[in-house]
Amino acid sequence: MMASVIICIPTCNRPQGIRRTLDSLAALDTRHAVEVIVGDNDAERQEGVAVVEALASRGWRWPIEAMPVPERGIPHVRNRLVEAALARPGVTHVAMMDDDEAASPGWVDALVEAAAQWDADVVGGAVLREMDSDLANWATRHPLLQPKSRGRSGVVTLVDSTANVLVRAEALRRMGRRPFDERMALTGGSDKQLFTRMQRAGMRFAWSEEATVTELIPASRVTAKWLLMRGYRVGMTDMMVERFHKGRLRTAAGEMPRIAAGFVVGAVGSLLTLDRGKRVERLGKLYRAAGKVAGLTGLRYEEYRKVHGA
């Protein structure tokens, strides 16, 4: 059965990135019907809109639309994209990827095949990494710079990211008109929040190792500061999601042992090594624990105020 897949891509201040993403989609090898919608979150320059209009004027391969989204924040863009996608007649699935990623030729078909094989409402796929500059030796082993992979395809309990995902259109409709939580506009984590809601509603998840995209990582994200603060942000948004579903007290009671362990292992472990890579990785546990405390107490770190890459 042929699927009708609407590919949704949020973008902001990355004209080179969105062009690379769209070039990869033009090279898809698929038997399914494909359309592309780009949501540009830069209301002033609208560089993403300009890239899309230039491609469309030359007869791009797939039907494509660009829309400006003036309200700043990833969930605002995702909600507008979902609204537009679900309005398309006959849509069966909504796929999402980021504007710093390139899809493999078989990306769409691998996602759709996994959805059918495991009767999944949500399918996530592997994210490979490509550096835009030489990687320092100390950073080569850092977990945040490794491929996002599960080793095999199959049923999973949860997919936590829209960086590479396919969602049944009907499943998205069940989550309301604005499924992404706009309270998390610049913090990140609204994708995990949505998928956790879907999990709690009894929806099914699967993973495809074959549905790969490649993320281009800029040099500005290969610094000790960025890696530590990303760990802090993930800890914070994980607690925000847990609080939304369990409340502050239940979440705190369950997480306190892990938070305490993170502070101890991070602080002591970082002092016991001269290896910079190991030190940054161990300090990351401390930063993640601190982020969890921030998430429990209501402090906000808005990582996405700054755009990395071009």
Side-chain angles (χ1 to χ4, degrees), residues 256-283:
M256 279 306 172
R258 285 185 282 271
I259 290 173
F263 276 110
V264 172
V265 172
V268 176
S270 63
L271 294 174
L272 296 178
T273 180
L274 297 178
D275 184 301
R276 186 182 180 191
K278 290 180 180 178
R279 186 166 62 253
V280 171
E281 188 174 340
R282 292 172 186 177
L283 275 175

Side-chain angles (χ1 to χ4, degrees), residues 14 100 130-135 138 145 216-230 301 303 306-310:
R14 284 179 179 160
D100 55 2
E130 178 184 340
M131 307 298 161
D132 76 350
S133 59
D134 291 338
L135 191 62
W138 68 265
L145 301 177
L216 183 64
I217 299 179
S220 60
R221 283 187 168 180
V222 191
T223 66
K225 179 181 178 180
W226 186 89
L227 293 168
L228 291 172
M229 291 307 297
R230 169 52 68 97
Y301 166 56
E303 176 184 349
K306 180 177 180 179
V307 176
H308 292 260

Side-chain angles (χ1 to χ4, degrees), residues 10-14 39-47 67-80 99 178 180-188 190 221 300 302-309:
T11 190
C12 185
N13 299 337
R14 284 179 179 160
D40 192 338
N41 204 204
D42 180 359
E44 295 182 3
R45 289 185 287 180
Q46 295 186 23
E47 294 170 305
M67 61 175 67
V69 183
E71 303 88 355
R72 185 69 190 276
I74 298 172
H76 290 290
V77 189
R78 289 174 180 155
N79 282 333
R80 286 285 302 278
D99 64 349
R178 305 183 77 80
F180 291 96
D181 193 330
E182 293 172 356
R183 293 173 294 180
M184 307 177 81
L186 295 171
T187 63
S190 63
R221 283 187 168 180
R300 295 288 184 103
E302 296 184 329
E303 176 184 349
Y304 289 97
R305 283 196 177 277
K306 180 177 180 179
V307 176
H308 292 260

